[in-house]
Amino acid sequence: MTLKPGAAKPRPARLSPADVARLGAAGLRSRPLRVCLSALGIAIGIAAMLAVVGISTSSRAELNQTLDRLGTNLLTAAPGETRTGEEAVLPEESTALVGRIGPVESVSATGAVTKSIYRTDHVPAGQTGSIQVLAAQPELLTVVDATLHAGSWFTPATATYPTVVLGATAARRLDVPGVGTRVWLGGEWFAVIGILTPVPLVEELDSAALVGWDAARSYLGFDGHPTRLYLRVAPTQVAAVRAVLGRTVNPEAPNEVSVSRPSDALAAQQATDNALNGLLLGLGAVALLVGGVGIANTMVISVLERRAEVGLRRALGATRGQIRGQFLAESLLLSTLGCVGGTLLGVVVTGLYAASQSWPVVVPAWAMAGGLAATLLIGAAAGLYPAVRASRLAPTEALAGT
């Protein structure tokens, strides 16, 4: 075909985005096993990162639900140390003094009893299972928002008799099957009248054996001094009450009173979990990078294997830009395939783990969007060199190598 003088050169046909995508998909369909293995590297990286974020977010949602249910307005006061380094003692009237603070809604206390509890009187001394015996005031159950797994809490009558309520962990360590069982406590037989469910904000009660305040005085030689106060405060006045609590509990030595808020410990635990999650996210990013290297390797081999195809297309009029677009589209489709598989796997892993922990399942949308953006970026970077290399093949060179 000869061109008339002054006539414009024919322009190569332009490929629409749909045509480029079809070409890329056709290239992938010709090597299904290699495509699956390459996409698997991307999928593992995305799944790891999404599972870490999803599990962390689900855990945080469970923590927020727990705090909303139990409240962040619970304060505790316990003996600190004296100037000589000895353990301080709270006054017997501490509960009454704290109850006079206006914003305090309710208050109760426990007191350590220097006695040991055993399943029977035949258990050797010292094998206590690290179970602490505590005297408990009647309002304790309400103040700490605890519930009973079985049995009942102390009544004005049972609080004066040798009865005991066991924490969830204590009941398991003593192998107590249920209420009505007798246990050997301080040289006396005590009847188990209740077993608590786990108390998230007051974990020390889980491994404790609770005895009525008056019964502890009568049967166990309890001196009546509380060792820990629990108080519920008006939510808007927590900081103000916390500031005056030490002076109220022990006016003569406020520095010998240790004040804390149990919900702060849960928040600190969550912060520790976040630090670990950062490490796991780093590992997921490494896996994602390895997946990108796999895609680059696959695309380079594809260019070498398909020299004849590239040469034929160039001979038929395909431009370098169209060749680059074809191989770049293959790389992007390959990474997108890995992203979809990894996202599904990450959501499934998050759902299964959250369900096993009875947590709400939360997978942030930003995490999935970020995963997609990361895979497209890695796919483009991994496919750029192979695409450029393919476009630089001259038709005669490519066809001569077949």
Side-chain angles (χ1 to χ4, degrees), residues 9-31:
K9 294 181 179 181
R11 295 182 179 181
R14 292 185 177 182
L15 296 179
S16 67
D19 294 330
V20 174
R22 278 195 294 270
L23 280 173
L28 295 182
R29 285 196 300 269
S30 64
R31 307 176 309 281

Side-chain angles (χ1 to χ4, degrees), residues 367-394:
M368 292 186 285
L372 177 60
T375 52
L376 292 178
L377 181 62
I378 289 177
L384 185 60
Y385 170 72
V388 171
R389 180 172 178 173
S391 68
R392 289 178 177 176
L393 288 174

Side-chain angles (χ1 to χ4, degrees), residues 112-121 123-134 164 166 174 183-190 207-211 219-221:
V113 179
T114 56
K115 299 292 182 181
S116 299
I117 183 172
Y118 304 93
R119 180 63 181 85
T120 69
D121 55 347
V123 178
Q127 297 184 6
T128 62
S130 300
I131 299 174
Q132 186 178 19
V133 180
L134 299 175
V164 61
L166 299 175
L174 289 172
V183 293
W184 187 249
L185 201 169
E188 300 277 353
W189 287 106
F190 277 65
S207 57
L210 304 172
V211 180
Y219 297 96
L220 304 175

Side-chain angles (χ1 to χ4, degrees), residues 78-147:
E81 291 185 351
T82 64
R83 290 186 176 88
T84 60
E86 299 176 353
E87 185 176 358
V89 178
L90 299 182
E92 290 188 40
E93 62 275 11
S94 297
T95 305
L97 293 174
V98 171
R100 296 174 185 173
I101 304 176
V104 173
E105 299 173 346
S106 57
V107 59
S108 188
T110 58
V113 179
T114 56
K115 299 292 182 181
S116 299
I117 183 172
Y118 304 93
R119 180 63 181 85
T120 69
D121 55 347
H122 298 297
V123 178
Q127 297 184 6
T128 62
S130 300
I131 299 174
Q132 186 178 19
V133 180
L134 299 175
Q137 294 182 346
E139 301 83 5
L140 179 66
L141 192 71
T142 303
V143 174
V144 301
D145 197 21
T147 57

Side-chain angles (χ1 to χ4, degrees), residues 115-367:
K115 299 292 182 181
S116 299
I117 183 172
Y118 304 93
R119 180 63 181 85
T120 69
D121 55 347
H122 298 297
V123 178
Q127 297 184 6
T128 62
S130 300
I131 299 174
Q132 186 178 19
V133 180
L134 299 175
Q137 294 182 346
E139 301 83 5
L140 179 66
L141 192 71
T142 303
V143 174
V144 301
D145 197 21
T147 57
L148 286 158
H149 172 70
S152 61
W153 184 245
F154 299 111
T155 65
T158 57
T160 61
Y161 287 98
T163 56
V164 61
V165 174
L166 299 175
T169 304
R172 185 174 64 253
R173 291 176 182 172
L174 289 172
D175 195 23
V176 172
V179 297
T181 307
R182 294 198 307 167
V183 293
W184 187 249
L185 201 169
E188 300 277 353
W189 287 106
F190 277 65
V192 177
I193 62 171
I195 298 176
L196 296 176
T197 56
V199 187
L201 285 183
V202 193
E203 293 183 349
E204 60 266 23
L205 295 183
D206 293 342
S207 57
L210 304 172
V211 180
W213 199 267
D214 294 333
R217 284 178 177 270
S218 303
Y219 297 96
L220 304 175
F222 175 53
D223 60 7
H225 289 276
T227 53
R228 190 173 295 272
L229 300 176
Y230 302 93
L231 55 148
R232 288 285 180 178
V233 183
T236 58
Q237 299 295 321
V238 173
V241 173
R242 190 173 186 174
V244 302
L245 188 56
R247 294 194 299 271
T248 304
V249 172
N250 193 348
E252 296 181 358
N255 59 306
E256 296 180 0
V257 180
S258 175
V259 179
S260 64
R261 185 163 65 164
S263 57
D264 292 342
L266 289 180
Q269 180 182 0
Q270 183 66 46
T272 303
D273 293 341
N274 289 340
L276 178 60
N277 291 337
L279 174 61
L280 296 177
L281 282 174
L283 295 176
V286 171
L288 195 59
L289 180 61
V290 171
V293 173
I295 289 179
N297 180 62
T298 298
M299 297 307 301
V300 168
I301 294 176
S302 176
V303 171
L304 295 176
E305 291 178 343
R306 296 160 65 189
R307 293 168 62 92
E309 176 191 335
V310 173
L312 181 60
R313 290 197 61 213
R314 289 296 311 278
L316 293 176
T319 65
R320 290 184 175 184
Q322 290 171 348
I323 298 297
R324 283 196 300 269
Q326 175 188 351
F327 282 90
L328 194 58
E330 287 188 26
S331 179
L332 290 174
L333 287 174
L334 184 56
S335 60
T336 302
L337 180 63
C339 176
V340 172
T343 300
L344 293 176
L345 182 60
V347 171
V348 170
V349 170
T350 300
L352 292 176
Y353 187 84
S356 68
Q357 301 294 321
S358 299
W359 294 348
V361 180
V362 181
V363 181
W366 63 263

Side-chain angles (χ1 to χ4, degrees), residues 48-58 60 281 350 362-364 366-367:
M49 298 179 68
L50 196 61
V52 169
V53 174
I55 291 174
S56 175
T57 306
S58 298
R60 192 176 300 113
L281 282 174
T350 300
V362 181
V363 181
W366 63 263

